[in-house]
Amino acid sequence: MPANSARAAVEEGEAFRMYIVEQGDNLESIASRFQISPRTLVVNNFELLAEDFSQPGRQIIVLATDGVLHTIKSGEDLSFVGDLYSVAPEQIVNYAPNGLTSATDVAEGRVVVVPGGQPPIPPELPEEQGPLLEEEIAPETDGRAGETPGTADTPADEPPTEQPTEEAPPVEEPAVEEAPVDSGAVAGWTWPVSGCGITRGVSSDHHGIDIGLFCNPGATIVAAAAGTVVFAGWDGGYGNSVVVDHGNGLFSRYAHLSSISVSSGTSVGAGGALGISGNTGNSSGEHLHFEIRADSPYGAVLDPMSYLP
């Protein structure tokens, strides 16, 4: 999956351009050069970190005005898009670089600039979760082994019992492991979504890959290999997520979905639909966070790139 495939799906025009970062550039200097706000650059290149705007050769989207670039999806009209970004649909039509003649002059796949648009705020995490990062997520079992994430019950009215204080053992980050050569699973794996390239890979503090979906918003997320769904629901910083047990010691996770179409216990084949991509949980823009773990949903971290074709 080429890193710049997202850019190939979006044609340049008067409304925006593709800019190659040059030596000495940074977020503020690029924004100043094109007379837009740094926020506009960040919103429309959500997969990038601030330091990426200083990386020579990096390709970024630069709008001709402050706002949001939006790809029309099936069933959408400009009234929907206007409501989504808190602007009047006439504002989108009247923005000449969009080349629109009326509010109905849109078709699926058309890219428009929403001038002055404000990105929708993703749902807040439940209060008890707090602002967790993906890498800080742990099974919601209060340390009790063998429980499925999110299913542990705690008595609400029982007074706390005093327990002897013991020093907790140090928590070690799971090491990133290579795919087992004899796993037999590699041949049966497929990409969980057709996206815009890998925007972030596996590292000691990021336990999966992020697949950007700027070029394919509202995409169907599919199982990367056959297995059984063992979790489907809200999972803290992962947002709406699905975990599939592949029956060979491997588990895959699909996070930040907008909706889920399976439930725990559902059998899925490779390529079977799990839900729709989104921006829930700790996510700054629509993408799929995809993990492969060994032995349990929170076991040793494996690099998905060792499994995907």
Side-chain angles (χ1 to χ4, degrees):
M1 181 176 293
N4 288 328
S5 59
R7 314 311 183 191
V10 181
E11 294 183 1
E12 291 186 63
E14 294 180 12
F16 66 94
R17 70 178 70 192
M18 305 310 302
Y19 174 71
I20 306 296
V21 176
E22 299 175 352
Q23 189 70 39
D25 279 343
N26 57 46
L27 178 61
E28 290 74 18
S29 69
I30 297 171
S32 175
R33 178 183 306 175
F34 292 101
Q35 298 183 328
I36 57 176
S37 70
R39 175 180 171 80
T40 292
L41 283 175
V42 171
V43 164
N44 291 285
N45 299 275
F46 64 82
E47 73 274 19
L48 303 184
L49 302 174
E51 53 266 30
D52 292 329
F53 292 91
S54 303
Q55 181 182 350
R58 172 77 70 173
Q59 193 173 32
I60 64 173
I61 296 171
V62 177
L63 270 57
T65 188
D66 284 323
V68 181
L69 200 61
H70 180 83
T71 304
I72 302 294
K73 298 192 287 293
S74 176
E76 292 184 352
D77 56 21
L78 292 187
S79 293
F80 172 87
V81 176
D83 288 344
L84 184 64
Y85 298 109
S86 305
V87 302
E90 293 76 18
Q91 197 168 326
I92 306 172
V93 175
N94 294 337
Y95 184 59
N98 280 331
L100 301 173
T101 57
S102 71
T104 58
D105 181 25
V106 290
E108 182 180 356
R110 180 158 188 169
V111 179
V112 297
V113 168
V114 183
Q118 298 297 319
I121 301 172
E124 292 184 3
L125 299 181
E127 285 186 12
E128 66 271 20
Q129 293 288 351
L132 298 178
L133 297 176
E134 288 171 352
E135 48 271 21
E136 293 172 343
I137 305 285
E140 298 173 5
T141 60
D142 296 323
R144 290 169 285 188
E147 294 179 344
T148 303
T151 60
D153 294 321
T154 304
D157 302 321
E158 272 190 22
T161 342
E162 290 188 6
Q163 299 291 339
T165 304
E166 293 183 7
E167 187 176 346
V171 178
E172 294 184 3
E173 288 284 344
V176 178
E177 300 181 0
E178 294 297 323
V181 175
D182 60 347
S183 68
V186 177
W189 288 72
T190 186
W191 282 90
V193 68
S194 176
C196 319
I198 305 302
T199 59
R200 190 176 180 187
V202 178
S203 64
S204 60
D205 61 353
H206 189 252
H207 299 159
I209 60 173
D210 288 348
I211 303 173
L213 290 169
F214 171 83
C215 60
N216 191 16
T220 298
I221 304 302
V222 303
T228 302
V229 175
V230 293
F231 179 78
W234 184 270
D235 195 10
Y238 288 119
N240 291 323
S241 69
V242 174
V243 176
V244 176
D245 179 357
H246 300 289
N248 52 5
L250 299 177
F251 293 77
S252 58
R253 173 177 283 105
Y254 312 78
H256 307 311
L257 309 187
S258 62
S259 63
I260 295 172
S261 56
V262 292
S263 56
S264 186
T266 302
S267 294
V268 291
L274 302 175
I276 301 298
S277 64
N279 186 32
T280 58
N282 283 342
S283 170
S284 59
E286 186 163 342
H287 71 285
L288 174 69
H289 176 80
F290 176 61
E291 295 182 357
I292 299 178
R293 302 271 192 150
D295 302 325
S296 81
Y298 294 95
V301 177
L302 303 175
D303 187 351
M305 299 305 292
S306 298
Y307 290 84
L308 298 175

Short mmCIF file of all heavy atoms in Angstrom, two decimals, residues 228-253:
data_model
loop_
_atom_site.label_atom_id
_atom_site.label_comp_id
_atom_site.label_asym_id
_atom_site.label_seq_id
_atom_site.Cartn_x
_atom_site.Cartn_y
_atom_site.Cartn_z
N THR A 228 -12.92 -15.67 15.21
CA THR A 228 -14.14 -15.45 15.98
C THR A 228 -14.02 -14.14 16.75
O THR A 228 -12.99 -13.89 17.41
CB THR A 228 -14.37 -16.60 16.98
OG1 THR A 228 -14.44 -17.83 16.27
CG2 THR A 228 -15.66 -16.39 17.76
N VAL A 229 -15.03 -13.31 16.68
CA VAL A 229 -15.03 -12.04 17.41
C VAL A 229 -15.13 -12.34 18.91
O VAL A 229 -16.02 -13.06 19.35
CB VAL A 229 -16.22 -11.16 16.97
CG1 VAL A 229 -16.29 -9.90 17.82
CG2 VAL A 229 -16.10 -10.80 15.49
N VAL A 230 -14.19 -11.80 19.70
CA VAL A 230 -14.21 -12.01 21.14
C VAL A 230 -14.52 -10.72 21.89
O VAL A 230 -14.74 -10.73 23.09
CB VAL A 230 -12.88 -12.61 21.65
CG1 VAL A 230 -12.72 -14.03 21.13
CG2 VAL A 230 -11.69 -11.75 21.26
N PHE A 231 -14.50 -9.59 21.18
CA PHE A 231 -14.90 -8.31 21.80
C PHE A 231 -15.40 -7.39 20.71
O PHE A 231 -14.80 -7.30 19.63
CB PHE A 231 -13.72 -7.67 22.53
CG PHE A 231 -14.08 -6.34 23.17
CD1 PHE A 231 -14.79 -6.30 24.36
CD2 PHE A 231 -13.75 -5.15 22.55
CE1 PHE A 231 -15.15 -5.09 24.93
CE2 PHE A 231 -14.11 -3.93 23.11
CZ PHE A 231 -14.81 -3.90 24.31
N ALA A 232 -16.49 -6.70 21.00
CA ALA A 232 -17.04 -5.71 20.07
C ALA A 232 -17.76 -4.66 20.89
O ALA A 232 -18.79 -4.94 21.50
CB ALA A 232 -17.99 -6.38 19.06
N GLY A 233 -17.20 -3.46 20.95
CA GLY A 233 -17.83 -2.40 21.74
C GLY A 233 -16.85 -1.30 22.05
O GLY A 233 -15.79 -1.17 21.43
N TRP A 234 -17.20 -0.49 23.04
CA TRP A 234 -16.36 0.64 23.44
C TRP A 234 -15.21 0.13 24.30
O TRP A 234 -15.42 -0.61 25.25
CB TRP A 234 -17.18 1.67 24.20
CG TRP A 234 -16.37 2.89 24.54
CD1 TRP A 234 -15.63 3.11 25.67
CD2 TRP A 234 -16.20 4.06 23.73
NE1 TRP A 234 -15.01 4.34 25.60
CE2 TRP A 234 -15.35 4.94 24.42
CE3 TRP A 234 -16.70 4.44 22.48
CZ2 TRP A 234 -14.97 6.19 23.92
CZ3 TRP A 234 -16.34 5.68 21.98
CH2 TRP A 234 -15.48 6.54 22.70
N ASP A 235 -13.99 0.55 23.97
CA ASP A 235 -12.82 0.08 24.72
C ASP A 235 -11.86 1.24 24.99
O ASP A 235 -10.74 1.28 24.48
CB ASP A 235 -12.11 -1.03 23.94
CG ASP A 235 -11.11 -1.81 24.82
OD1 ASP A 235 -11.12 -1.61 26.05
OD2 ASP A 235 -10.33 -2.59 24.27
N GLY A 236 -12.34 2.22 25.78
CA GLY A 236 -11.49 3.32 26.22
C GLY A 236 -10.92 4.10 25.06
O GLY A 236 -11.64 4.53 24.16
N GLY A 237 -9.61 4.32 25.08
CA GLY A 237 -8.95 5.11 24.06
C GLY A 237 -9.05 4.52 22.67
O GLY A 237 -8.87 5.21 21.66
N TYR A 238 -9.34 3.21 22.59
CA TYR A 238 -9.53 2.59 21.28
C TYR A 238 -10.86 2.98 20.65
O TYR A 238 -11.10 2.70 19.48
CB TYR A 238 -9.48 1.07 21.41
CG TYR A 238 -8.12 0.47 21.68
CD1 TYR A 238 -7.88 -0.27 22.84
CD2 TYR A 238 -7.08 0.62 20.77
CE1 TYR A 238 -6.64 -0.84 23.08
CE2 TYR A 238 -5.83 0.05 21.01
CZ TYR A 238 -5.62 -0.69 22.16
OH TYR A 238 -4.39 -1.25 22.39
N GLY A 239 -11.75 3.60 21.45
CA GLY A 239 -13.07 3.91 20.93
C GLY A 239 -13.85 2.65 20.64
O GLY A 239 -13.67 1.62 21.30
N ASN A 240 -14.73 2.72 19.63
CA ASN A 240 -15.44 1.52 19.20
C ASN A 240 -14.44 0.59 18.54
O ASN A 240 -13.78 0.96 17.56
CB ASN A 240 -16.54 1.87 18.19
CG ASN A 240 -17.68 2.64 18.82
OD1 ASN A 240 -18.06 2.38 19.96
ND2 ASN A 240 -18.24 3.59 18.09
N SER A 241 -14.32 -0.61 19.08
CA SER A 241 -13.30 -1.52 18.55
C SER A 241 -13.80 -2.95 18.51
O SER A 241 -14.75 -3.32 19.21
CB SER A 241 -12.01 -1.43 19.36
OG SER A 241 -12.20 -1.96 20.65
N VAL A 242 -13.13 -3.74 17.69
CA VAL A 242 -13.43 -5.16 17.54
C VAL A 242 -12.14 -5.94 17.71
O VAL A 242 -11.09 -5.53 17.22
CB VAL A 242 -14.04 -5.46 16.15
CG1 VAL A 242 -14.23 -6.97 15.94
CG2 VAL A 242 -15.37 -4.73 15.97
N VAL A 243 -12.21 -7.05 18.44
CA VAL A 243 -11.06 -7.95 18.58
C VAL A 243 -11.46 -9.32 18.04
O VAL A 243 -12.53 -9.84 18.39
CB VAL A 243 -10.61 -8.08 20.05
CG1 VAL A 243 -9.46 -9.09 20.17
CG2 VAL A 243 -10.18 -6.72 20.60
N VAL A 244 -10.62 -9.88 17.18
CA VAL A 244 -10.88 -11.19 16.58
C VAL A 244 -9.82 -12.18 17.04
O VAL A 244 -8.62 -11.88 16.99
CB VAL A 244 -10.88 -11.10 15.03
CG1 VAL A 244 -11.05 -12.49 14.42
CG2 VAL A 244 -11.98 -10.17 14.54
N ASP A 245 -10.27 -13.34 17.51
CA ASP A 245 -9.38 -14.44 17.88
C ASP A 245 -9.25 -15.35 16.66
O ASP A 245 -10.24 -15.89 16.16
CB ASP A 245 -9.98 -15.22 19.05
CG ASP A 245 -9.13 -16.41 19.49
OD1 ASP A 245 -8.10 -16.69 18.85
OD2 ASP A 245 -9.54 -17.08 20.46
N HIS A 246 -8.03 -15.51 16.18
CA HIS A 246 -7.81 -16.28 14.96
C HIS A 246 -7.55 -17.77 15.23
O HIS A 246 -7.28 -18.54 14.31
CB HIS A 246 -6.70 -15.66 14.13
CG HIS A 246 -7.00 -14.26 13.73
ND1 HIS A 246 -7.95 -13.94 12.78
CD2 HIS A 246 -6.53 -13.07 14.18
CE1 HIS A 246 -8.04 -12.63 12.65
NE2 HIS A 246 -7.19 -12.07 13.49
N GLY A 247 -7.61 -18.16 16.51
CA GLY A 247 -7.55 -19.57 16.85
C GLY A 247 -6.19 -20.20 16.78
O GLY A 247 -6.05 -21.40 16.95
N ASN A 248 -5.16 -19.41 16.52
CA ASN A 248 -3.80 -19.96 16.41
C ASN A 248 -2.85 -19.17 17.31
O ASN A 248 -1.67 -19.05 17.02
CB ASN A 248 -3.32 -19.92 14.96
CG ASN A 248 -3.49 -18.53 14.34
OD1 ASN A 248 -3.88 -17.60 15.04
ND2 ASN A 248 -3.22 -18.40 13.06
N GLY A 249 -3.41 -18.62 18.39
CA GLY A 249 -2.59 -17.80 19.28
C GLY A 249 -2.47 -16.36 18.84
O GLY A 249 -1.74 -15.59 19.46
N LEU A 250 -3.17 -15.97 17.78
CA LEU A 250 -3.10 -14.61 17.27
C LEU A 250 -4.45 -13.91 17.43
O LEU A 250 -5.51 -14.51 17.21
CB LEU A 250 -2.70 -14.61 15.79
CG LEU A 250 -1.34 -15.21 15.44
CD1 LEU A 250 -1.13 -15.18 13.93
CD2 LEU A 250 -0.22 -14.46 16.16
N PHE A 251 -4.39 -12.64 17.81
CA PHE A 251 -5.57 -11.80 17.97
C PHE A 251 -5.34 -10.51 17.18
O PHE A 251 -4.23 -9.96 17.19
CB PHE A 251 -5.81 -11.45 19.45
CG PHE A 251 -6.18 -12.63 20.30
CD1 PHE A 251 -5.22 -13.54 20.72
CD2 PHE A 251 -7.50 -12.82 20.71
CE1 PHE A 251 -5.55 -14.63 21.51
CE2 PHE A 251 -7.85 -13.91 21.50
CZ PHE A 251 -6.87 -14.82 21.90
N SER A 252 -6.37 -10.03 16.52
CA SER A 252 -6.26 -8.75 15.82
C SER A 252 -7.28 -7.76 16.37
O SER A 252 -8.38 -8.15 16.78
CB SER A 252 -6.46 -8.93 14.31
OG SER A 252 -7.72 -9.51 14.02
N ARG A 253 -6.89 -6.48 16.41
CA ARG A 253 -7.76 -5.42 16.94
C ARG A 253 -7.97 -4.36 15.86
O ARG A 253 -7.04 -3.97 15.15
CB ARG A 253 -7.15 -4.78 18.19
CG ARG A 253 -7.92 -3.58 18.69
CD ARG A 253 -7.33 -2.99 19.98
NE ARG A 253 -7.70 -3.80 21.14
CZ ARG A 253 -6.88 -4.62 21.76
NH1 ARG A 253 -5.62 -4.75 21.36
NH2 ARG A 253 -7.29 -5.31 22.80
#
